[in-house]
């Protein structure tokens, strides 16, 4: 049977979790413990998961697993967002129809049935993706927004809002999607802005009573056929200016910007002087009974345009309010599809946003176009279908969020945001400018708005429950609370006993989502679960949900309970491609998370998403990053475990905590590193700093693999079973066990795989490690860090001089303020040197010359710089050493006390012949690189040892078995090998070593510039 593949392993572990109910046990084991409350934002089940979902689900799972292992009860209820336009649009596409007219022709009831069927189109893919990623969430008992129980809870919230007189119907200008044919809320609009190039026009509005011309500027030429008025600011100064025989009226600060330098100012006027001045509209398609006059408005500014604003009441909130305030006629020339009505004869039936050029051509033909230009600006698009939005006057239901602004801000102030700048920035500013929530949608598939209105007296009822509606209804309620069934429910007015009918709208899907803390538990109709699960300790979603899920949660909870629904919010950054571009299938740069899991494993994907950069930063992501995550951490961990497993099997070692063996300095060091790492990771994780936590674990594993295990190999290889070997096995077993626990929230599969083999139980049912002060040893860690740095400096010299580590050298000199000679053996073995000297300085071997660095010294010393230069050129050796050791030196020059720092100097060092210098701060090492014949010979033997070990591996000889070795070589080669036979036998398990005249079918190897032959066989 071949080696288990990564994919097979993860499938095996998934099967084990499912068979043994490990997820359920992890919750059951903590059922009497303090709750850590976690909310799962509901994805839409009729769309496929992408890499952004992988990031979100990874972070959610890491938090939930970590808190569970810390002993908290962390219930994780999945959810599905099943309502709204995304679902309707998907069904329209499936049916080959488009728009409300075609939906109604198809039939609302069959259309609703199709919507209901479609919402779980990709549920199996989502479930599979969630399981493959290792995200533990209860998908068998999810909350589903289309369920009657969920809708009933939403109705209860809306009923309270209605009773609090915060729900009202108004005719207002709202953002409107002509494609979806429904209005949007302000936080929905905030999600869909795009940078686009549009045409702007400066238009001539000729006065009726003179030849003077008002110049009006608009960025929406398509609204000009609906012009009703011009607005000017009564307090601004305007001028009449002549250009090319015509007199124009513009704001004074803008006159030359608009008219150019050739304009002549004739007179100045206050805006108030033009009130009620009549003008001729640019188009005469419509008869406006009250209008085409100048009105005053203080929102008009002199910062752009002309200082005069064109007013089209159906297409701007300011415009609408201005027309109402002045008693002017309301005009709308655009239908619900966003097309001109029949009155606009030249453009009837055409989409208005496509007609800017045509409108400008018509103006030019009438000599009413003064100027046109293209400009780039940010324009709102529908977040659901990507169509450009219009501002459109419609009847809608609103929630008065504006009156709750201070409470919203106060509630937000109780929340900790990650990253923290979102709190006062993106989110806080949105709350500062909060507007009333347009809650209604003129669509079909959604939670019906539970408002019944009397056809006679206009009284409104918003029943708070199914039971309350039953008491009002004139017939039994339908089993399904959706349209069109609920529309058939007729109620009796409690005021006048006339008929009440439901207002036909459904509600904004974001109100559905924002209600989830309550509706997921069918609150208030069922109390127990909700009381334990509110508010949330943490909510985790993407940055795009700042004005979506995060806002709707806060808004609904503030309306319903008067408090924030969460304590902490984690706002995750976008996952971009490797060039920083947004991923999309159309660009061909989108990564499929399921493909990544199938190729590299879930652990690699999860680790890559976390260790690379903080999750709230925009993340440049690529396949290469996932590959690196696998090789740097996962492969290192697996190789370390395989090493342990191999030698534990050979020695039949069984871990026994009571038998510790005789720990070495290296054992104590790695255990100190382990517990320091545990403390650091816990601190980072308690503050949701995942990346820092990951990096601490990665550093620990690197130290374990590349220092502890490598330094301890001989202990595992040694024959017999000494107390030293027992300590090595026990220490590595302990470290691997604790690392598995540390990693369990991050990389749950490999942690389970290794821990199960070490302990025969699930790591996910264990407690998270806690640092044990008895093992902490900062002094030992600091000392070992110095030793590692010395080895790195020595290796850097070897690399620079092209000297392999297998080539022994005579001497290493270390200049340090502390002598760590008890670590000499480690340094000697790592750098393969015969002798080590610890000295307070390298002055006997290195001559240091200083020159003044005028770039830094000039600014520091000013007029004293020449005196400092002279001092530096004649500096005493003692002063040089002080400066090198302490980094600075105080000197008296020109009767001034001056502080000379190393940054003020350029340093040149001359090293004694045969030595090479490397330094890091105050630490200096000198390696004597001169090679004697004896050193060269030993180098050949050490490389020969490497060659033999490689051949053993190729022959698949068990590493614990002794071999016999025959060598055919020259007398000179034989002499060298025999001279170092003890070294050979110490490093190769060789029983019999023979020198022979010749060999057949032997390995060839170049030894001391000559070829020899060697044959290996198992003893």
């Amino acid at each position: 049977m071949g080696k288990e593949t990564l994919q097979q392993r993860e499938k095996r572990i998934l099967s084990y979790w499912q068979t043994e109910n490990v997820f359920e046990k992890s919750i059951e084991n903590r059922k009497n413990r303090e709750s850590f409350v976690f909310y799962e934002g509901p994805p839409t089940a009729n769309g496929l998961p992408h890499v952004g979902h992988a990031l979100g689900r990874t972070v959610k799972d890491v938090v939930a697993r970590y808190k569970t292992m810390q002993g908290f009860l962390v219930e994780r209820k999945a959810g599905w967002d099943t309502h709204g336009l995304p679902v309707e649009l998907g069904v329209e596409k499936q049916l080959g129809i488009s728009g409300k007219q075609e939906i109604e022709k198809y039939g609302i009831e069959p259309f609703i049935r199709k919507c209901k069927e479609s919402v779980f189109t990709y549920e199996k893919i989502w479930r599979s993706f969630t399981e493959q990623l290792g995200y533990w969430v209860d998908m068998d008992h999810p909350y589903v927004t289309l369920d009657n129980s969920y809708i009933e809870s939403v109705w209860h919230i809306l009923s309270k809002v209605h009773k609090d007189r915060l729900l009202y119907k108004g005719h207002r200008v709202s953002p409107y999607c002509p494609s979806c044919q429904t209005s949007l809320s302000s936080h929905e609009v905030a999600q869909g802005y795009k940078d686009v190039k549009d045409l702007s026009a400066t238009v001539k509005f000729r006065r009726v009573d003179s030849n003077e011309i008002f110049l009006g500027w608009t960025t929406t030429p398509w609204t000009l056929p609906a012009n009703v008025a011009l607005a000017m600011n009564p307090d601004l100064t305007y001028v009449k200016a002549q250009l090319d025989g015509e007199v124009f009226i513009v704001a004074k600060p803008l006159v030359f910007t608009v008219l150019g330098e050739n304009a002549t100012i004739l007179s100045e006027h206050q805006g108030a002087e033009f009130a009620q001045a009549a003008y001729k509209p640019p188009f005469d398609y419509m008869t406006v009974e009250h209008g085409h006059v100048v009105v005053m408005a203080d929102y008009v500014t002199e910062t752009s345009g002309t200082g005069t604003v064109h007013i089209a009441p159906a297409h701007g909130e300011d415009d609408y309010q201005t027309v109402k305030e002045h008693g002017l006629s309301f005009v709308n020339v655009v239908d619900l599809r966003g097309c001109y009505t029949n009155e606009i004869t030249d453009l009837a039936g055409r989409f208005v946003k496509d007609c800017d050029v045509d409108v400008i051509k018509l103006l030019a033909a009438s000599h009413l176009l003064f100027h046109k230009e293209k400009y780039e600006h940010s324009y709102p698009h529908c977040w659901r279908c990507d169509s450009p939005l219009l501002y459109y006057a419609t009847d809608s239901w609103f929630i008065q969020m504006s009156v709750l602004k201070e409470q919203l801000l106060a509630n937000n102030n109780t929340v900790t945001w990650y990253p923290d700048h979102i709190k006062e920035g993106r989110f806080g500013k949105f709350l500062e400018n909060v507007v009333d929530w347009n809650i209604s949608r003129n669509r079909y598939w959604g939670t019906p708005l539970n408002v019944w209105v009397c056809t006679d007296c206009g009284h409104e009822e918003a029943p708070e429950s199914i039971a309350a509606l039953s008491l009002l209804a004139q017939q039994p309620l339908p089993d399904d609370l959706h349209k069109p069934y609920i529309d058939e429910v007729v109620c009796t007015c409690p005021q006048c006993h006339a008929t009440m009918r439901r207002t036909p709208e459904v509600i904004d899907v974001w109100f559905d989502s924002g209600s989830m803390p309550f509706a997921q538990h069918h609150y208030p109709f069922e109390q127990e679960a909700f009381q334990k699960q509110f508010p949330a300790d943490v909510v985790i979603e993407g940055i795009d949900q700042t004005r979506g899920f995060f806002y709707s949660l806060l808004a609904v909870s503030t309306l319903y309970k008067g408090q924030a629904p969460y304590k902490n919010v984690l706002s995750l950054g976008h996952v971009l491609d490797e060039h920083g571009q947004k991923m999309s299938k159309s660009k061909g740069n989108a990564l499929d998370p399921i493909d990544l899991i199938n190729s590299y494993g879930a652990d690699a994907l999860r680790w890559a998403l976390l260790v690379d950069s903080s999750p709230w930063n925009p993340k440049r992501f690529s396949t290469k990053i996932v590959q690196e995550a696998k090789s740097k951490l996962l492969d290192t961990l697996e190789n370390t475990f395989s090493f342990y497993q191999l030698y534990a099997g050979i020695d039949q070692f069984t871990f026994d905590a009571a038998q510790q063996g005789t720990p070495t300095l290296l054992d104590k060091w790695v255990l100190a590193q382990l517990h320091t790492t545990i403390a650091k990771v816990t601190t980072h994780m308690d503050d949701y700093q995942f990346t820092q936590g990951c990096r601490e674990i990665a550093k620990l594993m690197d130290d374990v693999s590349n220092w502890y295990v490598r330094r301890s190999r001989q202990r595992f290889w040694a024959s017999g079973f000494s107390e030293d070997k027992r300590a090595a096995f026990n220490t590595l077993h302990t470290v691997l066990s604790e690392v598995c626990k540390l990693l369990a929230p991050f990389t749950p599969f490999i942690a389970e795989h290794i821990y199960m083999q070490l302990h025969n139980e699930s790591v996910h049912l264990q407690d998270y490690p806690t640092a044990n002060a008895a093992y902490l040893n900062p002094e030992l860690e600091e000392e070992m860090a110095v030793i590692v740095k010395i080895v790195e400096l020595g290796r850097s010299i070897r690399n620079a001089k092209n000297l392999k580590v297998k080539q022994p050298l005579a001497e290493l000199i270390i200049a340090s303020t502390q002598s760590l000679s008890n670590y000499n053996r480690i340094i000697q073995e790592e750098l393969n040197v015969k002798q080590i000297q610890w000295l307070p300085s390298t002055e006997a071997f290195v001559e240091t010359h200083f020159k003044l660095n005028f770039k830094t010294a000039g600014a520091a010393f000013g007029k004293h710089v020449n005196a400092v230069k002279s001092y530096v050129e004649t500096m005493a050796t003692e002063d040089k050493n002080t400066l090198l050791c302490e980094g600075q030196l105080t000197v008296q020059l020109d009767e001034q006390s001056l502080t000379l720092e190393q940054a003020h100097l350029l340093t040149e060092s001359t090293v004694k012949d045969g030595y090479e210098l490397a330094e890091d701060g105050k630490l200096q090492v000198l390696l004597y690189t001169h090679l004697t014949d004896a050193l060269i010979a030993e180098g050949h033997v050490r490389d020969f040892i490497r060659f033999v070990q490689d051949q053993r591996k190729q022959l698949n000889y068990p590493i614990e078995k002794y071999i016999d070795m025959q060598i055919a070589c020259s007398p000179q080669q034989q002499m060298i090998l025999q001279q170092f036979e003890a070294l050979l036998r110490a490093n190769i398990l060789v029983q019999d070593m023979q020198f022979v005249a010749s060999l057949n079918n032997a390995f060839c190897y170049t030894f001391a510039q000559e070829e020899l032959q060697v044959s290996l066989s198992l003893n």
Side-chain angles (χ1 to χ4, degrees), residues 943-954:
D943 201 60
F944 178 68
I945 291 167
R946 175 202 57 77
F947 172 75
V948 172
Q949 299 288 37
D950 287 345
Q951 304 317 309
R952 279 190 66 135
K953 199 176 287 185
Q954 283 191 26

Side-chain angles (χ1 to χ4, degrees), residues 28 38 106 116 125 190 310 350 942-943 953 965 981:
E28 181 66 21
F38 162 87
Y106 177 79
K116 205 167 192 175
I125 294 173
H310 134 73
R350 291 182 56 193
R942 287 183 178 276
D943 201 60
K953 199 176 287 185
M965 183 162 58
E981 185 172 343

Side-chain angles (χ1 to χ4, degrees), residues 851-863:
K851 287 183 181 178
L852 203 62
N853 182 348
F854 280 96
K855 283 185 179 178
T856 54
F861 303 118
K863 65 181 181 179

Side-chain angles (χ1 to χ4, degrees), residues 292-353:
H292 298 145
V293 292
V294 175
V295 295
M296 297 295 106
D298 57 11
Y299 57 77
V300 179
T301 69
E302 56 189 13
T303 56
S304 63
T306 64
T308 301
V309 175
H310 134 73
I311 301 296
H315 306 298
E317 182 62 24
D318 286 335
D319 303 46
Y320 182 79
Q321 294 301 331
T322 300
V323 164
K324 277 180 67 177
E325 184 182 325
H326 291 87
L328 303 179
S329 299
F330 178 84
V331 172
N332 184 9
V333 297
V334 181
D335 66 19
L336 291 172
R337 296 172 302 126
C339 298
Y340 282 117
T341 56
N342 291 334
E343 290 91 342
I344 313 303
T345 51
D346 295 307
L347 304 169
R350 291 182 56 193
F351 181 52
V352 294
K353 281 288 290 177

Side-chain angles (χ1 to χ4, degrees), residues 761-781:
E761 58 183 348
S762 174
V763 71
H764 301 292
L765 300 180
Q766 312 308 311
D767 290 337
Y768 207 70
T770 54
N772 187 335
Y775 288 102
L776 296 175
N777 194 332
E779 185 180 350
L780 175 57
E781 290 187 75

Side-chain angles (χ1 to χ4, degrees), residues 120-138:
F120 295 113
T121 303
Y122 299 116
E123 193 266 346
K124 285 183 180 176
I125 294 173
W126 271 96
R127 180 182 282 267
S128 175
F129 162 63
T130 302
E131 290 173 352
Q132 277 185 271
L133 188 65
Y135 177 29
W136 276 358
V137 63
D138 184 359

